[in-house]
Amino acid sequence: MSWKEKFVLMRRLPLAALTVVAVVLPLWIFEWGPSDAALLDNNATNGLTQAALDLRASAPIDMLDLAPLPQPVVQNIKVRKGDTLMDIFVKAGLTRGNAIKAIQALSKIYNPKRLRPGQDIEFVFEPAALLEPDDADAAKGELKQITVHPDLFREYTVYQLDDDKFTAKYIKQAIETKLARASGKISSSLYLSAVNAGVPVLVLMELIRIYSWDVDFQRSIRAGDQFDVMYERKITEKGEFARYGNILYANLKLGKTDNPLYLFTGKKGFSDYFDPKGRSARKALMRTPINGARLSSGYGRRRHPVLGYNKMHRGVDFAAPRGTPIFAAGSGTVVYRARNGGYGNYVRIRHNSEYSTAYGHMKSFRRSVRRGSRVRQGQIIGYVGSTGRSTGPHLHYEILHRGRQTNPMRVKMPSGKHLKGKELARFMNVRAATEIKLADLPKSKKVAQRTKKLILAK
Ligand SMILES: [Zn+2]
């Protein structure tokens, strides 16, 4: 809006109305929840743009409480002759200090001398990005747990707690793996449709997590879309259900497009999901760098409820309670970490020559994350607040492509790893094997509930 237009507008409005506008305006601008007042450009064009109309037409269907956590990174390392726990833990990337602490905790329930060649040790890490697509180690964030599997019936797990302490737990009499499959059509809600089809909630959450790189569950899922998932159930020697294992295959059919994904473990022991051509489902940037949040305001022009003209919102807002952790959407370098006008406490991360992401209104920054720090995807960088010109606690999130803000819900994400050569050939074999298992479990087949039946171990 030009100066002249503003002047005309001011002369037309009585002073009282102007006062109301000046005071109440920031609280009114955003019809869907807390949002930011300062990050909008005035724009005098009338009528909602398509983007804004889309946003209204697609009020969230469901899944608001099941916003996905970033997917953990799982690495299996096989014990070789002569290996000690220390060798293996260091190989998995633990510092010697942490390895010692983890071994001390584990030793309370497991004798390290019983370690045998051929055993698998499983490491679970918080996720980080595959910006360097061929460097799977770069994807590992902080360690969460380590499990020693001496045989089918025993598991010894060490958990790393938040304060860098370790605790260990022994689970006996695991496990035989059974496969289950569930599929269905989405009616009003993915959640209800999936649960009605027999998909356990934990499996459903994992399904959402697998697809969260590409599918915006608050906007992209429509009635009539279909899901199909094949997953593992772990059964004890007594035939009792123990826990769910991995999803081996999933397909979300959105409109007319199938989006199948297959679980594949690469040669370094990393497991991940890949499309039929061997492209990783894991992307370089997350669309929603926060957990459990509600999209409160989308990208694009929005009609001003009082003055009637439109404003451009160059990011998306996620409403979340004050103090909710905010994740780095991708690995990169922190290039800005300070107050920044209407953005309040603001962080910008440069991911590569093309992409940056920005985060506004933070209550506070994570202490260890400073300007110049290298951060990993999924690492906490700060906490939700309402600093700057904001009307309530929320995260204002921007994805910048070549320095320009783009719509995080629409931008085509830079892709992750693409399998090549021998790895691709191995993947194609795994994919074929998975498809044979799928064919053995027809879509209509109900989830097996054989909890009483005795299943003999081999
Ligand atoms: Zn915003």
Side-chain angles (χ1 to χ4, degrees):
M1 174 181 280
S2 72
W3 244 123
K4 201 174 162 188
E5 286 169 305
K6 275 184 189 164
F7 186 65
V8 170
L9 184 67
M10 280 172 76
R11 283 197 28 182
R12 282 185 194 158
L13 285 170
L15 188 66
L18 262 182
T19 310
V20 167
V21 162
V23 176
V24 180
L25 196 69
L27 303 169
W28 269 31
I29 293 174
F30 311 100
E31 298 137 316
W32 300 293
S35 191
D36 31 31
L39 311 180
L40 298 166
D41 302 337
N42 286 0
N43 189 296
T45 50
N46 274 318
L48 291 168
T49 61
Q50 197 54 45
L53 284 169
D54 285 351
L55 189 74
R56 289 173 170 215
S58 61
I61 292 179
D62 65 351
M63 304 318 303
L64 298 186
D65 299 324
L66 289 174
L69 273 172
Q71 200 170 320
V73 175
V74 178
Q75 182 177 22
N76 280 290
I77 296 185
K78 211 171 261 310
V79 179
R80 287 197 233 156
K81 209 172 169 209
D83 276 351
T84 62
L85 280 178
M86 181 59 108
D87 298 334
I88 294 160
F89 287 13
V90 168
K91 194 172 171 185
L94 273 73
T95 61
R96 289 193 85 82
N98 272 351
I100 289 167
K101 282 193 237 172
I103 291 167
Q104 277 171 350
L106 185 61
S107 300
K108 288 180 187 158
I109 54 165
Y110 177 77
N111 180 356
K113 286 181 185 152
R114 298 207 310 254
L115 199 65
R116 294 286 171 265
Q119 258 175 256
D120 267 339
I121 300 189
E122 181 189 87
F123 296 82
V124 179
F125 299 90
E126 286 180 354
L130 291 169
L131 281 179
E132 299 99 320
D134 290 323
D135 183 6
D137 280 312
K140 293 194 288 193
E142 269 175 41
L143 175 75
K144 287 164 82 177
Q145 64 184 65
I146 306 169
T147 302
V148 181
H149 299 275
D151 55 44
L152 282 173
F153 303 100
R154 288 174 296 168
E155 281 186 4
Y156 302 86
T157 300
V158 189
Y159 301 89
Q160 179 166 16
L161 308 175
D162 285 343
D163 53 2
D164 282 350
K165 290 195 177 115
F166 289 83
T167 183
K169 191 177 155 197
Y170 168 52
I171 300 173
K172 63 182 167 189
Q173 59 140 302
I175 272 165
E176 189 185 358
T177 301
K178 291 267 170 194
L179 288 179
R181 183 177 184 184
S183 56
K185 194 173 262 191
I186 296 162
S187 47
S188 64
S189 142
L190 170 62
Y191 180 83
L192 285 178
S193 308
V195 170
N196 285 341
V199 181
V201 171
L202 284 173
V203 173
L204 177 60
M205 290 184 75
E206 182 66 9
L207 179 75
I208 290 166
R209 195 150 72 176
I210 293 167
Y211 280 97
S212 63
W213 302 94
D214 258 335
V215 177
D216 169 14
F217 281 91
Q218 291 180 15
R219 292 195 53 203
S220 307
I221 301 281
R222 303 288 156 115
D225 289 345
Q226 293 173 44
F227 62 90
D228 186 9
V229 56
M230 179 168 74
Y231 57 94
E232 296 169 333
R233 301 175 78 235
K234 304 287 185 179
I235 309 294
T236 69
E237 60 201 295
K238 288 178 186 159
E240 289 159 348
F241 170 77
R243 62 184 168 83
Y244 296 104
N246 293 313
I247 290 178
L248 298 188
Y249 163 88
N251 184 22
L252 267 187
K253 190 171 185 182
L254 304 177
K256 288 180 176 153
T257 312
D258 282 303
N259 298 282
L261 292 176
Y262 300 83
L263 180 67
F264 173 66
T265 304
K267 64 175 185 291
K268 279 180 160 179
F270 290 98
S271 298
D272 219 332
Y273 290 88
F274 293 85
D275 76 5
K277 290 183 174 157
R279 285 175 302 213
S280 172
R282 191 187 292 272
K283 295 296 192 294
L285 294 176
M286 296 158 73
R287 281 181 210 278
T288 307
I290 186 168
N291 188 36
R294 176 171 64 88
L295 180 74
S296 58
S297 180
Y299 188 93
R301 289 186 206 291
R302 288 176 300 181
R303 210 172 96 89
H304 194 293
V306 177
L307 298 180
Y309 58 76
N310 289 323
K311 297 199 161 214
M312 182 67 189
H313 184 227
R314 297 193 182 278
V316 291
D317 293 339
F318 296 102
R322 211 177 287 273
T324 303
I326 300 164
F327 308 123
S331 295
T333 305
V334 175
V335 293
Y336 200 114
R337 176 202 183 267
R339 295 243 4 153
N340 182 9
Y343 285 104
N345 287 331
Y346 171 90
V347 167
R348 186 185 287 192
I349 302 170
R350 185 182 190 272
H351 302 291
N352 54 31
S353 59
E354 301 258 303
Y355 287 94
S356 303
T357 50
Y359 313 78
H361 308 312
M362 286 183 184
K363 173 172 162 274
S364 55
F365 305 111
R366 191 179 195 182
R367 271 226 314 246
S368 58
V369 174
R370 297 173 192 280
R371 201 164 84 92
S373 294
R374 174 104 192 130
V375 292
R376 293 177 306 249
Q377 186 169 51
Q379 188 179 333
I380 294 168
I381 54 169
Y383 305 91
V384 168
S386 191
T387 55
R389 240 165 291 165
S390 160
T391 62
H394 75 284
L395 167 67
H396 171 91
Y397 173 53
E398 294 179 358
I399 294 183
L400 297 104
H401 184 227
R402 295 181 182 164
R404 291 177 66 96
Q405 287 105 336
T406 58
N407 184 346
M409 298 304 164
R410 291 277 172 91
V411 64
K412 200 164 170 357
M413 287 293 171
S415 67
K417 188 184 178 105
H418 193 166
L419 300 171
K420 294 187 195 80
K422 278 185 187 167
E423 283 283 86
L424 183 60
R426 283 214 313 117
F427 168 74
M428 288 303 176
N429 286 336
V430 169
R431 183 190 143 187
T434 302
E435 278 165 357
I436 289 168
K437 288 174 191 161
L438 264 179
D440 286 345
L441 277 177
K443 262 191 181 180
S444 54
K445 193 166 171 182
K446 263 288 201 187
V447 180
Q449 295 291 352
R450 274 180 279 163
T451 48
K452 290 280 183 269
K453 193 182 166 202
L454 185 72
I455 295 162
L456 294 171
K458 67 170 182 182

